[in-house]
Amino acid sequence: MSRPEYPVAHPDTGVARQVLAENSDLMVVSFRFDTGACGALHSHPHTQSTYVAKGRFRFFRGDETLELNVGDSIVIPSGVTHGCECLEAGELIDNFTPRRDDFL
């Protein structure tokens, strides 16, 4: 079975985003970061889970600051302001529910 190929987007300097799979209820997205790159603070109505596949990151979730390493994960509730700083080049695998139509 072949899967659709989604284009790579560059939402911030040193960040590459690619949708891996999606339907109306769920979306899986890869974010690749260069060391020092940041995911700008933002919020959205989607619930998000993030898994650190490679690298090391400092996450900002609401009033919290968390350091995440390979194998760690975090859930970001709907509407909560969040972002990250890449401390060591890596990749995050994010899941969004429902799908982020703005990524398509």
Side-chain angles (χ1 to χ4, degrees):
M1 178 176 149
S2 66
R3 63 179 173 84
E5 286 295 323
Y6 297 96
V8 175
H10 298 276
D12 294 299
T13 302
V15 181
R17 175 184 76 212
Q18 186 172 29
V19 173
L20 301 177
E22 54 85 18
N23 71 22
S24 61
D25 297 321
L26 181 67
M27 177 178 266
V28 182
V29 182
S30 166
F31 285 88
R32 293 179 304 278
F33 285 78
D34 295 338
T35 299
C38 293
L41 288 174
H42 64 287
S43 67
H44 44 73
H46 313 82
T47 298
Q48 173 181 336
S49 69
T50 297
Y51 172 77
V52 181
K54 298 177 191 171
R56 194 165 54 92
F57 294 83
R58 180 173 295 123
F59 268 83
F60 308 97
R61 179 180 62 182
D63 294 333
E64 298 176 280
T65 300
L66 306 157
E67 202 163 300
L68 300 181
N69 299 291
V70 173
D72 291 338
S73 59
I74 185 173
V75 171
I76 301 160
S78 172
V80 172
T81 299
H82 60 283
C84 69
E85 175 187 1
C86 182
L87 303 174
E88 179 182 305
E91 180 181 24
L92 303 175
I93 303 297
D94 287 0
N95 295 277
F96 297 94
T97 184
R99 171 180 63 204
R100 292 279 307 254
D101 289 338
D102 56 318
F103 286 1
L104 296 175

